[in-house]
Amino acid sequence: MANEEVFDDDFYQEDFSTATEWEAFVSRLTDILESYEVVEEEPLSNNELSLCEWCEEEESIVFNDFNLSVIRYKAKIPPKQEASKSTQCQVFQDLISIKNDHCLLDFNYLRHDYEVLYAPKPAKIHPLAVWYGLRDFIVLKNKKPLHDLSKIKLLQSSMRISVFDSKCNIPTFIQALYHEQDLFLGIYEYKEFQLAFDIVHLKTPPPPCKYLSGLIEMFKGKIGMAYVNPVTVSVCLSYSLKNFLSAAYSSDKKSDNDEWDKIDFVNVVSNLSFGVSIDPVHELILYTKWPQVGENVVFDSETYSDFNPINAPKWSIRTRFDYTPVCYLADMLHDYLTLIESQEALSEYYNFLLSKNRAGDVGNPFAALTDSRIPSLPSVLNTGSYSIDGPINEDQMQQIFSYLFPENNAGKFSYGDIQDNQFDPQKIKSATPDSLVHRLSIILANIYTSFSGRRSVAQFWTEFTQKLRERVEKCLRIPGVASGFPDMRTCLLHQKLQMLNVCIERKNIREGRLPFAMQQQFAQQEGKTDSDDEFFDCDDDRVVDDEAAATQSPWNPVGRISKLGKMLLIDCDEPLYIPVTQDPVPKTEDELEDDAEMLLNVSDSELRAQLMSASLLSDMESFKAANPKGKLEDFIRWYSPRDWIEDEANEDELFGRKGHLSDRMMIPGNTWQTVWSSAKPVPARRQRRLFDDTKEMEKVLHFLECQTLGSIGELTIAPLFHSALIKLQKESEETKDFLPNFKEKENKLKQNCCILSREKWISSKNVSRKKWEAITNDFSEWELSINQGKSIMKKLYQEDYKLNDDDIKFLNSLMKCYDTELEGGAKNDIGVRVMSMFNEARAYQNEQRPEDHSWSLPDPFEKQFTLRQFGNTTNQGTGGPQFMRVILSGNEFRLCGAFSQNTTFVYAP
Amino acid sequence: MAGGGDPKWQKDAADQNFDYMFKLLIIGNSSVGKTSFLFRYADDSFTSAFVSTVGIDFKVKTVFRHDKRVKLQIWDTAGQERYRTITTAYYRGAMGFILMYDITNEESFNSVQDWVTQIKTYSWDNAQVILVGNKCDMEDERVISFERGKQLADQLGVEFFETSAKENINVKNVFERLVDIICDKMSESLDSDPTLVGGGGPKGQRLTDQPQGTPNANCNC
């Protein structure tokens, strides 16, 4: 500003050209208005203003006790393909266009300050855009509400001057009175036309303004000149439906403790609940519209109205959601996380777990150990009749375990194919869906959150570990666990159970019983072989006849699998045999971490090599046993072929015998040589076991028995969330096509579950728990959205209706709370359903039978009339646009006018 | 991670000498030079013959990257088929892999695809891989051209270097590049999803404590 520059300069003590403060204010305002650029854009399409994004530019001016913000609101209209820019004034066009009518944003709804987390945040749209359909305008807003009329006048005239001086081509408004009243006064100038915007806001309408006839009269009176064309009227009547009765949607949840006896216990605890406590669709709004009628063809007064909603040419509906219902699944996940805080040990509930000698307390499970060499497959399910006192009664417990451990894995609770070899980069570190670990997690979550809390968890887990012990002792496979070694891509609990199975299987085979795959076959009398099962290595049978020989002489070969190609030993003409070796050692991830840790703590590399050499020694001993005349060179040729360098010269040597060890194998005293020299010819069978299944078994059982309640929660959280995710995917089957951002939400949730499941659990400060808690919010949001979709479906469609593409578009729009058109109005199928819902609600209210349906709607909660006039006047040449929108609702009357004047006539003498 | 996210790897309570710790794995067929490569990098030494690795071994080196001390725990694996079960168990939690072949050995190059499958199967998807053709000093015995190596790397979507542990060519570069891409990936994944970072905990505490029962384990994958 000019005067500021002057003050900066000491030389000019007084600046006589400086204007008054007011003039400075006006000039500043003019500067701001001048700085706005106006771009001519294409005509607006239907509803565009409510769907597009808006941008705001804000400047502030202080003048006396005014503290003004000058805000420019501008819709970001994407350029359209068919560039049909008109030469007419954009503001006039927007005002007059009926396409741009009833700006279809749910404005009343938006004004509620919905603080609820998941409510969609619709683009904020200024009421001026809603009422006038303006795409670009400026608002002067004082920090404090302007009540003083003289102040308003002062501001108004300042604005006039600025608008005039800056030749600002954007409608400019002042906001007056209380801000929440949304009262504005505005002006706009275009060529010879001056447009005055004026808003009236009252609690109740003056009687003549209640009906169209009176309004038209008032409109004409205000214009004060006659136009050739009649006034064009647009009408919209809005109806609200909140009482859905038979179309209401809700989900029942069984949670009362005393009802648990009466219901199918297993069915309840084994399923995740899903649903919402109240109908998420709070309200359905029906708009009946007459987009364009001439004033002379309709009549609307207190006694008679042409506007019968049933005959309205356009119908549209909108949903309003309630964002507060409890979502059962997410709620349960959230609750379950509180279990993790518990530091209680199982032994605090069941102290027999503490005493080593448990035999007396628990019905002597160890007795089973002593006579566990029963070759047949006994049913243990009913034999373990000891009971652990707790909130879950014996019958319920039995039900649970016949679900978790279905006998022979048959019957209605049998496990499906739980082998999962699919590669999925987003795999959740949990277990296969509907595997034992998943079932277990769901049961735990159910009994914890809606049965008897921690006590039932303690009781159930104790029972579970006892059942495992029993199965282990009877050498019964644990069902519902993927076969094979512990899979690090699954959760720790699953790995532990896999480990148990490995141990049970090894023990079984050691004791001369059939491997699991064959047992199962036998038990189920099925022809199909489970070829995936690679537990069992039948080699022992093949080498059995060596047994006698081995005892006779140490030089007799034992434990051969097969010849290695055509290879011969280097020092004699005997073939080189691949030996039977000990199976690799299975490890769960925590054991592996301990191993790694141990290695990391050994600073000497050679010592580490020694630690690692146990399996090398075992293999070398097996090799020596199978190839009594074999040398280290022969071993290397089988074990590490690249360390055997063949001589190229000997082309006649067919058996690759001429050659030498690589340099590294010849380093004096290297691990390979030292281990070889200490290796004795002992077949794998007779070696010290690298893997002690008995010890390992006890280790796993001990691990499970020593969990605190909190750590039980940690072990099961990933499988539980995984199951929950699958549950939501299943529940969303019928609605997913139209739920907004469904794929993104699903992916985000999956990804987050995946990341968290792979992260190490951090218990201090509850870091991990809080992260899981954070994603329960996403679950909640998703669950709610699925229920919203289901609720809308229930209201508007027949059951089992197959959605077509148009339905999907329609539903998607409703999900976004948009005003959504019903083609054909009352004749539309959905229109008919809507009508019948209104009728049902009315009948309910009047306690009438619903059969009495004379198709009618209740009183509208809002009426909107928009009156427009433009074109030539009868005697004053071309007239400017005249616009008036009237909004009549129960507690509000609003009149928004924009009246133009042709200034040529006003100022002409 | 200059301006990047929170440390994914929290320092060990006992060891205050680093800001991050990355676990890296060197894999590839037997005798392609994995141990030599690691010794060259960690100790700057070279011998024509290192004892063939039995099972798995490791070395630790701390480097500076973007003003941060990064402790590298580099696991050196035995390439022999027989050791697959042992070594693949260590894949989990590795943030980077150096997949090595020997440019003088066709077979080791042909096995690259198998190794990639192993990585995919046993590691998590966010592990970074660099393909390395070692022994590039032995030009006379070369059977795999640079172009073939490069082409395979492009096909696999990984970066590629030819190196020589003997002549100390590109050894350091490989490790530095791997550390860089791990850092990039890390800050990227943190940027893309802020909801999971912090989780209510203070900044920089993505991993604050060791879980009970597995003391001092640094892997969080």
Side-chain angles (χ1 to χ4, degrees):
Chain A
M1 273 184 300
N3 51 347
E4 268 181 13
E5 282 163 26
V6 171
F7 282 123
D8 285 346
D9 201 328
D10 286 346
F11 184 76
Y12 293 100
Q13 288 296 317
E14 270 180 89
D15 173 25
F16 297 105
S17 69
T18 306
T20 63
E21 237 179 291
W22 176 74
E23 280 169 310
F25 162 65
V26 171
S27 110
R28 166 94 172 108
L29 183 59
T30 312
D31 285 347
I32 293 173
L33 296 185
E34 254 174 0
S35 72
Y36 292 134
E37 271 176 52
V38 179
V39 190
E40 288 286 323
E41 289 162 330
E42 294 87 347
L44 293 169
S45 56
N46 211 354
N47 220 357
E48 190 163 4
L49 286 181
S50 64
L51 299 179
C52 72
E53 281 188 48
W54 284 77
C55 59
E56 291 175 23
E57 281 175 60
E58 187 170 339
E59 304 260 358
S60 52
I61 310 177
V62 181
F63 158 61
N64 284 348
D65 49 350
F66 288 112
N67 195 345
L68 288 173
S69 301
V70 183
I71 311 165
R72 184 201 190 183
Y73 295 87
K74 167 116 185 58
K76 290 184 192 166
I77 308 289
K80 295 185 189 77
Q81 283 178 338
E82 69 276 18
S84 57
K85 281 186 197 172
S86 78
T87 46
Q88 271 191 301
C89 167
Q90 188 167 283
V91 175
F92 288 1
Q93 234 183 349
D94 287 349
L95 270 179
I96 292 310
S97 161
I98 40 161
K99 274 211 166 169
N100 185 20
D101 208 1
H102 302 303
C103 188
L104 297 171
L105 206 79
D106 194 356
F107 185 60
N108 287 320
Y109 180 58
L110 288 183
R111 275 197 290 183
H112 284 281
D113 283 326
Y114 270 90
E115 293 284 322
V116 183
L117 202 56
Y118 314 119
K121 308 262 184 320
K124 270 210 171 150
I125 178 167
H126 196 275
L128 287 172
V130 179
W131 295 325
Y132 292 107
L134 295 172
R135 67 175 84 181
D136 189 2
F137 52 92
I138 299 160
V139 177
L140 274 67
K141 180 177 177 181
N142 198 24
K143 275 257 158 58
K144 281 190 216 145
L146 290 170
H147 288 290
D148 187 345
L149 199 62
S150 64
K151 275 190 178 176
I152 297 173
K153 287 269 184 228
L154 172 66
L155 207 56
Q156 218 176 349
S157 45
S158 313
M159 176 176 78
R160 255 171 206 284
I161 295 167
S162 290
V163 167
F164 192 78
D165 286 352
S166 63
K167 299 192 173 52
C168 176
N169 199 15
I170 308 171
T172 311
F173 294 83
I174 296 166
Q175 180 158 21
L177 301 182
Y178 289 111
H179 289 166
E180 55 274 20
Q181 273 184 289
D182 289 324
L183 274 179
F184 301 89
L185 299 161
I187 50 157
Y188 175 68
E189 294 212 335
Y190 180 77
K191 290 187 181 160
E192 70 271 32
F193 294 105
Q194 202 179 65
L195 201 56
F197 295 90
D198 218 334
I199 292 176
V200 173
H201 182 233
L202 298 169
K203 277 225 155 62
T204 45
C209 294
K210 278 185 183 168
Y211 299 94
L212 184 61
S213 309
L215 289 168
I216 291 175
E217 226 165 273
M218 190 178 92
F219 184 59
K220 284 185 170 164
K222 177 81 186 164
I223 296 166
M225 49 186 165
Y227 278 69
V228 174
N229 295 325
V231 176
T232 316
V233 184
S234 307
V235 183
C236 175
L237 308 179
S238 314
Y239 301 87
S240 153
L241 180 66
K242 286 183 179 167
N243 199 352
F244 294 106
L245 301 167
S246 66
Y249 173 90
S250 70
S251 354
D252 12 294
K253 195 194 177 196
K254 16 61 229 203
S255 58
D256 267 343
N257 261 359
D258 25 306
E259 278 180 32
W260 284 84
D261 305 335
K262 296 170 203 150
I263 44 157
D264 181 359
F265 185 77
V266 132
N267 191 20
V268 172
V269 292
S270 64
N271 281 304
L272 289 169
S273 44
F274 167 86
V276 281
S277 50
I278 50 168
D279 195 334
V281 176
H282 169 69
E283 189 178 3
L284 194 71
I285 297 167
L286 169 68
Y287 301 102
T288 59
K289 298 171 193 167
W290 291 260
Q292 191 174 21
V293 285
E295 57 165 315
N296 39 14
V297 297
V298 285
F299 187 74
D300 177 56
S301 74
E302 197 169 353
T303 47
Y304 173 80
S305 173
D306 278 332
F307 299 116
N308 179 356
I310 310 296
N311 303 326
K314 267 194 167 185
W315 273 33
S316 62
I317 56 172
R318 173 202 301 286
T319 50
R320 284 182 187 172
F321 293 124
D322 190 319
Y323 293 97
T324 54
V326 175
C327 298
Y328 294 144
L329 182 61
D331 193 44
M332 188 251 247
L333 296 178
H334 196 268
D335 277 1
Y336 190 59
L337 286 167
T338 58
L339 174 64
I340 282 157
E341 287 164 15
S342 169
Q343 297 290 322
E344 290 167 295
L346 287 179
S347 52
E348 287 175 41
Y349 290 88
Y350 301 104
N351 55 18
F352 68 82
L353 287 169
L354 279 179
S355 58
K356 270 279 164 210
N357 183 9
R358 274 164 288 189
D361 289 313
V362 290
N364 201 0
F366 271 108
L369 183 67
T370 48
D371 51 18
S372 67
R373 278 161 223 272
I374 333 158
S376 67
L377 187 81
S379 159
V380 286
L381 294 169
N382 300 317
T383 52
S385 59
Y386 55 84
S387 68
I388 294 167
D389 277 346
I392 306 170
N393 69 35
E394 205 170 319
D395 175 54
Q396 290 167 335
M397 198 63 100
Q398 202 139 50
Q399 284 184 47
I400 294 180
F401 281 102
S402 59
Y403 169 68
L404 287 180
F405 300 137
E407 204 167 347
N408 294 330
N409 196 19
K412 62 174 175 171
F413 294 140
S414 69
Y415 289 98
D417 181 18
I418 40 123
Q419 217 59 32
D420 180 18
N421 297 319
Q422 271 183 333
F423 173 72
D424 176 4
Q426 284 209 12
K427 194 171 190 152
I428 295 168
K429 190 166 147 65
S430 124
T432 325
D434 199 37
S435 61
L436 175 58
V437 170
H438 275 233
R439 289 187 185 185
L440 191 68
S441 311
I442 293 171
I443 290 175
L444 278 166
N446 275 325
I447 59 175
Y448 175 68
T449 56
S450 42
F451 199 58
S452 305
R454 294 177 182 182
R455 247 194 105 66
S456 52
V457 169
Q459 187 199 0
F460 170 65
W461 188 265
T462 308
E463 188 85 40
F464 175 69
T465 56
Q466 296 311 302
K467 281 276 191 296
L468 286 181
R469 195 171 272 287
E470 225 175 280
R471 290 192 81 91
V472 163
E473 278 153 9
K474 299 196 169 170
C475 281
L476 290 172
R477 179 186 189 162
I478 296 150
V481 177
S483 62
F485 278 13
D487 184 350
M488 311 281 170
R489 290 166 300 166
T490 63
C491 64
L492 184 61
L493 179 58
H494 183 252
Q495 291 179 37
K496 292 284 178 193
L497 296 173
Q498 281 185 307
M499 182 62 113
L500 271 189
N501 267 346
V502 171
C503 297
I504 296 170
E505 175 117 52
R506 292 229 174 144
K507 185 176 165 198
N508 251 336
I509 293 165
R510 220 181 38 250
E511 294 177 356
R513 280 192 295 274
L514 291 170
F516 289 147
M518 295 168 76
Q519 278 180 11
Q520 210 172 348
Q521 234 177 339
F522 185 71
Q524 297 185 349
Q525 293 293 314
E526 271 180 9
K528 142 185 128 176
T529 31
D530 198 357
S531 54
D532 282 344
D533 238 327
E534 288 179 312
F535 267 124
F536 182 59
D537 215 345
C538 260
D539 304 324
D540 277 358
D541 296 340
R542 252 182 282 164
V543 293
V544 121
D545 35 348
D546 297 333
E547 192 88 38
T551 47
Q552 284 164 10
S553 152
W555 295 106
N556 280 347
V558 224
R560 289 173 169 175
I561 288 185
S562 65
K563 292 175 190 173
L564 178 62
K566 287 179 176 172
M567 278 201 196
L568 299 181
L569 297 177
I570 46 167
D571 273 356
C572 64
D573 282 345
E574 279 179 33
L576 195 160
Y577 282 95
I578 301 171
V580 175
T581 50
Q582 287 204 40
D583 283 343
V585 179
K587 292 246 155 99
T588 55
E589 69 189 29
D590 52 341
E591 290 176 312
L592 207 75
E593 270 158 25
D594 292 347
D595 283 4
E597 203 50 47
M598 189 186 70
L599 276 184
L600 287 168
N601 287 330
V602 176
S603 49
D604 180 11
S605 166
E606 267 177 46
L607 215 61
R608 288 199 294 264
Q610 263 177 38
L611 283 172
M612 295 300 299
S613 64
S615 72
L616 183 62
L617 177 68
S618 157
D619 289 345
M620 282 179 167
E621 293 196 331
S622 306
F623 187 84
K624 279 187 175 177
N627 302 285
K629 292 179 184 163
K631 295 198 147 179
L632 176 61
E633 283 81 352
D634 294 314
F635 178 78
I636 294 297
R637 282 163 70 207
W638 164 57
Y639 207 81
S640 180
R642 284 209 64 198
D643 284 301
W644 175 250
I645 320 287
E646 276 180 44
D647 293 343
E648 284 169 24
N650 279 295
E651 279 173 12
D652 51 329
E653 167 60 60
L654 291 168
F655 309 109
R657 284 194 287 180
K658 290 282 179 287
H660 57 88
L661 285 178
S662 65
D663 291 347
R664 61 178 185 173
M665 284 299 172
M666 298 217 275
I667 299 170
N670 79 64
T671 319
W672 296 70
Q673 286 188 357
T674 50
V675 175
W676 179 259
S677 59
S678 66
K680 297 180 192 76
V682 184
R685 214 159 9 97
R686 291 148 58 87
Q687 288 168 12
R688 190 172 154 253
R689 276 185 286 161
L690 289 174
F691 176 71
D692 183 345
D693 49 70
T694 322
K695 199 177 119 201
E696 203 58 48
M697 206 144 51
E698 191 50 48
K699 220 168 118 186
V700 175
L701 291 171
H702 181 74
F703 169 86
L704 295 174
E705 283 164 4
C706 288
Q707 298 294 317
T708 62
L709 296 191
S711 55
I712 292 170
E714 288 168 23
L715 282 175
T716 47
I717 209 76
L720 178 66
F721 275 66
H722 189 190
S723 311
L725 186 69
I726 293 165
K727 176 78 176 173
L728 286 190
Q729 282 168 332
K730 244 183 229 155
E731 291 288 347
S732 62
E733 209 44 59
E734 47 174 338
T735 52
K736 64 178 179 194
D737 290 333
F738 64 83
L739 297 185
N741 308 324
F742 178 82
K743 269 278 155 225
E744 291 95 273
K745 276 184 197 164
E746 185 185 20
N747 277 338
K748 188 184 158 209
L749 208 51
K750 195 174 173 200
Q751 200 179 347
N752 285 348
C753 283
C754 164
I755 293 171
L756 286 188
S757 69
R758 293 172 186 193
E759 252 180 46
K760 266 204 170 293
W761 193 276
I762 301 151
S763 32
S764 83
K765 293 187 198 142
N766 287 321
V767 173
S768 293
R769 195 183 62 116
K770 282 183 182 140
K771 288 184 188 177
W772 284 103
E773 229 166 58
I775 64 171
T776 57
N777 291 338
D778 297 339
F779 270 98
S780 187
E781 187 185 343
W782 206 30
E783 190 178 3
L784 182 59
S785 141
I786 294 169
N787 280 297
Q788 289 168 345
K790 286 188 166 204
S791 175
I792 296 178
M793 287 275 287
K794 178 166 184 191
K795 291 173 177 50
L796 302 182
Y797 293 94
Q798 306 270 349
E799 234 176 286
D800 298 328
Y801 176 82
K802 281 268 167 294
L803 298 177
N804 61 35
D805 286 354
D806 288 339
D807 295 323
I808 286 169
K809 242 192 229 154
F810 170 78
L811 286 166
N812 180 272
S813 163
L814 282 180
M815 282 298 296
K816 291 176 180 157
C817 300
Y818 291 163
D819 180 353
T820 312
E821 196 176 331
L822 289 172
E823 300 252 359
K827 290 181 201 81
N828 184 301
D829 283 350
I830 291 168
V832 172
R833 282 188 80 89
V834 170
M835 276 305 290
S836 70
M837 281 194 284
F838 272 108
N839 279 332
E840 193 191 359
R842 192 194 48 174
Y844 177 80
Q845 217 166 16
N846 304 337
E847 291 178 7
Q848 284 170 352
R849 297 197 58 78
E851 281 90 86
D852 166 39
H853 45 77
S854 48
W855 291 90
S856 71
L857 289 165
D859 287 338
F861 71 89
E862 186 185 271
K863 294 200 236 176
Q864 278 200 30
F865 298 100
T866 311
L867 314 177
R868 295 187 172 95
Q869 192 149 48
F870 53 96
N872 288 330
T873 55
T874 47
N875 55 4
Q876 289 175 319
T878 311
Q882 313 290 352
F883 175 97
M884 186 169 84
R885 168 164 295 182
V886 184
I887 302 167
L888 289 145
S889 66
N891 49 12
E892 197 179 52
F893 170 75
R894 188 179 289 274
L895 203 147
C896 308
F899 300 100
S900 58
Q901 263 188 322
N902 191 328
T903 47
T904 15
F905 290 97
V906 173
Y907 299 123
Chain B
M1 281 134 309
D6 300 339
K8 191 166 190 170
W9 299 82
Q10 186 67 19
K11 39 186 115 164
D12 195 0
D15 187 352
Q16 295 293 333
N17 293 326
F18 60 92
D19 301 298
Y20 299 95
M21 181 158 97
F22 294 164
K23 180 176 156 188
L24 311 177
L25 239 77
I26 310 180
I27 56 170
N29 273 14
S30 159
S31 75
V32 295
K34 297 182 289 296
T35 308
S36 309
F37 189 77
L38 178 56
F39 270 74
R40 170 59 82 190
Y41 179 64
D43 301 349
D44 199 19
S45 64
F46 183 80
T47 325
S48 60
F50 280 103
V51 176
S52 178
T53 309
V54 177
I56 193 152
D57 201 2
F58 75 93
K59 276 201 173 290
V60 172
K61 188 174 167 91
T62 306
V63 294
F64 279 86
R65 238 26 219 161
H66 308 299
D67 305 324
K68 295 275 190 247
R69 281 162 305 210
V70 181
K71 183 173 172 178
L72 302 178
Q73 190 187 83
I74 311 158
W75 292 84
D76 178 22
T77 61
Q80 284 88 358
E81 187 66 36
R82 184 76 189 151
Y83 284 112
R84 283 285 166 90
T85 351
I86 297 175
T87 53
T88 49
Y90 284 82
Y91 283 23
R92 209 182 68 90
M95 305 180 76
F97 285 85
I98 294 173
L99 201 179
M100 188 175 290
Y101 67 88
D102 173 357
I103 64 151
T104 69
N105 182 277
E106 178 92 32
E107 196 193 333
S108 72
F109 181 73
N110 293 340
S111 305
V112 168
Q113 189 62 56
D114 288 347
W115 288 107
V116 170
T117 314
Q118 301 270 326
I119 295 174
K120 276 192 176 167
T121 315
Y122 294 102
S123 79
W124 296 122
D125 61 317
N126 52 359
Q128 303 301 307
V129 183
I130 288 188
L131 181 65
V132 166
N134 195 25
K135 305 192 187 175
C136 74
D137 52 291
M138 295 163 76
E139 208 43 70
D140 297 346
E141 291 169 53
R142 180 194 278 277
V143 291
I144 306 298
S145 66
F146 180 87
E147 287 67 33
R148 277 183 73 189
K150 179 78 183 118
Q151 201 185 353
L152 180 61
D154 289 346
Q155 204 182 316
L156 297 169
V158 301
E159 298 201 21
F160 174 66
F161 287 88
E162 275 199 354
T163 62
S164 164
K166 187 176 176 186
E167 302 290 337
N168 198 3
I169 300 167
N170 269 344
V171 176
K172 205 173 164 201
N173 289 349
V174 168
F175 281 98
E176 282 176 355
R177 186 62 202 138
L178 187 55
V179 169
D180 282 352
I181 51 184
I182 292 170
C183 290
D184 290 350
K185 177 84 181 186
M186 213 165 82
S187 49
E188 190 183 293
S189 66
L190 291 178
D191 289 346
S192 65
D193 198 351
T195 53
L196 291 182
V197 187
K203 202 172 153 53
Q205 299 225 331
R206 195 181 167 91
L207 190 75
T208 49
D209 199 2
Q210 306 309 329
Q212 294 163 341
T214 49
N216 208 17
N218 285 291
C219 141
N220 78 333
C221 295

